[in-house]
Amino acid sequence: MKRSIYLVLMILSIPFFANAQWSEEVTMVPAKANDSVLAKGDLAKGKIIEDLSWAANSSNACFVATQNTKFRGNHVFFATTILPHSIMTISVTPTDDKGDLSMYAYMSGLDDHYLVPDLPQCITCEADYKWDGKWKNKVQTSERKVEFNNPTNGPYNILIGIAAPKGVTAGEFTLKIRSQN
């Protein structure tokens, strides 16, 4: 009897999990094959994420804890889908050339809609932020960029977080998502 009840409850819950979506604080940006999509954003519409331990967790490996200060301001979230057999380049540029933004993005399964700080694991995570020093033969601009490669036959979710250093709670920016098949 217990087994039958468990089975019925499991079957009834499948439609709820299948229709899971990103929370309302995430802006969806549909990717276009072999094209770029732009989205505008503002840190003023975001929120501060106090717990950044998810980023240095070995199940996510997004950025090391020594870089947390670069992610202590407001966070704004976007989501897209990386298409099969494609490379996706994601960049963010502040409207103000002197703006100091940081960005992270992580790939997860289509049924996974975890939002930081409640991210138990992801397939891969990438981050870009202002360098602490100068690099030989390299110049950093205010643009931040990450890239994902999907060699599989199926699509995946990509969650994008735009953040800033502590005390920065506003600042407009343009997000660019380029998908190449």
Side-chain angles (χ1 to χ4, degrees), residues 22 53-55 57-62 105-109 111-125 157 159:
W22 293 106
S53 62
W54 59 270
N57 180 314
S58 63
S59 296
N60 300 321
C62 204
Y106 52 87
M107 183 188 303
S108 58
D111 295 330
D112 295 336
H113 295 89
Y114 297 111
L115 189 58
V116 298
D118 300 318
L119 178 64
Q121 65 185 7
C122 62
I123 296 167
T124 186
C125 186
N157 281 332
L159 185 285

Side-chain angles (χ1 to χ4, degrees), residues 67 70 129-136 138-140:
Q67 300 302 323
K70 296 172 180 156
Y129 41 82
K130 188 174 182 180
W131 301 336
D132 291 329
K134 296 187 184 276
W135 290 72
K136 187 177 180 178
K138 291 186 178 184
V139 176
Q140 187 177 44

